[in-house]
Amino acid sequence: MTKRIFLVIWPTPEVLAEIQTIQDTLRKKNLPIIWTEIDKIHLTLNFLGKMPHTDINEVKRMVQEATCDLPAFTLKFPFLETLYKKHDDSLIYLSIGGEIEALENLQKILAQTIVEVAAQPKRYMPHITIGRVKRLDPEATKQTLNTISDLDLTPDIPEMKIDKFSLYESILHGDKATYQKIRDFVLK
């Protein structure tokens, strides 16, 4: 039996409340956007993909060993951004700021630790997806993204101390997914 596994940072309730406010503001514009459910909003560190259940304990051990001495850090979410994708859903997301070097170091250490069990992308682009533009023709998609950019929304999201990250399973139910925590990893 295999499980879809990923390493993730979950936003605090205060951060999620502000993200909800942004989503509500944009919902009023009646744009063709599929909003990320508030309980699924997260910052992905590494996606491990499908993994045999027997390998998960080894991943937990490897990740704990590789990260047990890493310090906690603080992140900020300074901008609402959009990303056009020609052949996939275009994104509406929050950019990441603050101690970004610490975040990138954590992700890099994790990627190097798990590369033997899960291929990792060459480039890491930290972000928090809050919505996706429904697939439209390219011009309509670009117009929707431009409308969002023209609103010049500046998020008023509190900074967030990152003192842990988690290993989760993504369980697919048709085109929906639920997330189940496997383990937390604490930073110093």
Side-chain angles (χ1 to χ4, degrees):
M1 179 173 161
T2 62
K3 295 184 175 191
R4 294 178 76 239
I5 305 298
F6 63 107
L7 290 158
V8 62
I9 294 172
W10 291 101
T12 62
E14 296 81 14
V15 169
L16 288 174
E18 290 302 322
I19 291 172
Q20 182 73 59
T21 299
I22 293 168
Q23 286 180 327
D24 291 345
T25 299
L26 290 171
R27 268 190 192 94
K28 293 175 185 173
K29 302 296 180 189
N30 293 317
L31 298 168
I33 297 170
I34 302 165
W35 297 105
T36 306
E37 296 172 40
I38 204 71
D39 64 336
K40 292 192 176 134
I41 290 177
H42 62 275
L43 170 59
T44 301
L45 292 166
N46 306 80
F47 183 72
L48 287 77
K50 289 185 178 180
M51 176 171 292
H53 180 69
T54 53
D55 290 349
I56 294 173
N57 284 336
E58 180 64 11
V59 167
K60 290 189 291 189
R61 185 196 64 73
M62 290 168 29
V63 168
Q64 176 63 38
E65 188 176 294
T67 62
C68 65
D69 291 327
L70 293 179
F73 54 94
T74 302
L75 294 179
K76 297 178 182 180
F77 310 94
F79 303 108
L80 180 67
E81 305 273 354
T82 60
L83 177 66
Y84 174 73
K85 292 186 172 183
K86 185 174 181 178
H87 300 291
D88 204 357
D89 292 342
S90 295
L91 302 180
I92 303 159
Y93 65 94
L94 293 171
S95 62
I96 308 296
E99 296 179 84
I100 192 76
E101 299 84 16
L103 172 65
E104 290 172 342
N105 184 54
L106 171 61
Q107 191 279 332
K108 181 179 177 183
I109 288 169
L110 291 170
Q112 291 170 344
T113 300
I114 61 176
V115 72
E116 291 181 23
V117 294
Q120 294 297 297
K122 293 187 186 329
R123 183 172 175 256
Y124 178 60
M125 185 185 124
H127 67 283
I128 294 180
T129 301
I130 67 167
R132 297 174 186 277
V133 177
K134 294 178 184 176
R135 285 195 189 168
L136 307 166
D137 66 84
E139 280 306 309
T141 298
K142 289 176 186 175
Q143 183 177 6
T144 298
L145 295 174
N146 287 338
T147 298
I148 293 167
S149 295
D150 290 346
L151 293 173
D152 197 27
L153 287 174
T154 303
D156 188 21
I157 299 175
E159 64 182 30
M160 184 172 91
K161 181 176 182 180
I162 309 302
D163 55 9
K164 72 176 180 177
F165 64 97
S166 305
L167 181 66
Y168 265 73
E169 174 184 7
S170 173
I171 303 165
L172 297 178
H173 309 279
D175 61 348
K176 298 264 184 185
T178 57
Y179 301 149
Q180 183 173 350
K181 181 168 44 173
I182 297 172
R183 179 175 175 188
D184 287 331
F185 299 91
V186 177
L187 300 173
K188 285 189 168 186

